[in-house]
């Protein structure tokens, strides 16, 4: 079973989403603490620290460790940042698949494949549209066989 990585554009999507959220936090802190006192500087330092840790450590590690594979029996997703996790669903247990696309993903031509099974699901983020459609169609064809 050969594992494949998600698109490198996926890391850019995560980082853009993080940056937009950081701007929102910065704006809210400025609204709540307009006088720039001690609490303002403490909160600003905390969100900046969190932003840089997420930007330079968490999301690159998450991207590096995220991979998926599928064969005639099983779909497997490797993920995790602090602890490595492996999620798997047998093809015979797949009920249906869905694809989703956020506005930022649409700009980059990416989408997310969600594989639903009884009691759980696997979410494979940031696949190119071609990869997503090919994998979804392959899973549906394999699922239709007895």
């Amino acid at each position: 079973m050969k594992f494949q990585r998600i698109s490198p554009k996926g890391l850019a999507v995560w980082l853009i989403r993080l940056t937009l959220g950081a701007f929102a936090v910065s704006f809210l802190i400025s609204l709540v603490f307009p006088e720039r006192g001690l609490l303002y500087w403490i909160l600003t330092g905390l969100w900046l620290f969190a932003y840089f840790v997420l930007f330079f450590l968490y999301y690159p590690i998450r991207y590096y460790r995220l991979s998926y594979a599928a064969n005639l029996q099983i779909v497997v997703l490797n993920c995790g940042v602090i602890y490595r996790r492996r999620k798997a669903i047998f093809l015979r247990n797949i009920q249906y698949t869905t694809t989703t696309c956020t506005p930022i993903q649409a700009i980059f031509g990416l989408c997310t494949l969600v594989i639903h099974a009884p009691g759980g699901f696997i979410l494979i983020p940031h696949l190119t549209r071609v990869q997503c459609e090919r994998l979804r169609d392959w899973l549906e064809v394999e699922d239709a066989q007895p």
Side-chain angles (χ1 to χ4, degrees):
M1 184 179 316
K2 184 179 178 197
F3 284 90
Q4 299 177 2
R5 297 211 178 276
I6 62 171
S7 172
K9 296 176 185 177
L11 179 60
V13 170
W14 283 329
L15 297 179
I16 288 170
R17 193 173 60 199
L18 173 68
T19 302
L20 292 174
F23 281 134
V25 169
S26 174
F27 179 72
L28 290 174
I29 290 173
S30 296
L31 282 179
V32 174
F33 301 104
E35 64 273 348
R36 309 260 194 285
L38 179 64
L39 194 54
Y40 168 84
W41 291 110
I42 290 172
L43 290 175
T44 300
L46 285 174
W47 79 256
L48 277 172
F49 175 75
Y51 175 79
F52 285 119
V53 166
L54 290 172
F55 193 92
F56 290 110
L57 289 176
Y58 180 81
Y59 284 117
I61 292 170
R62 184 176 178 190
Y63 170 75
Y64 176 73
R65 290 192 177 169
L66 186 63
S67 61
Y68 67 95
N71 65 17
L72 296 174
Q73 296 177 347
I74 196 166
V75 177
V76 179
L77 178 73
N78 290 326
C79 57
V81 175
I82 296 172
Y83 299 106
R84 292 183 186 223
R85 293 185 318 221
R86 180 171 280 184
K87 299 177 183 181
I89 293 180
F90 285 105
L91 265 56
R92 67 178 180 268
N93 293 336
I94 294 175
Q95 291 179 330
Y96 61 96
T97 60
T98 57
T99 57
T100 61
C101 183
T102 64
I104 298 174
Q105 283 181 323
I107 292 170
F108 286 95
L110 301 175
C111 59
T112 298
L113 179 67
V114 185
I115 304 167
H116 300 270
F121 63 91
I122 289 182
L123 190 128
I124 305 175
H126 309 306
L127 298 172
T128 63
R129 291 182 195 272
V130 173
Q131 281 178 319
C132 189
E133 290 173 6
R134 189 177 302 142
L135 184 58
R136 185 190 65 213
D137 293 341
W138 186 79
L139 291 173
E140 289 175 358
V141 167
E142 292 299 322
D143 189 37
Q145 295 178 358

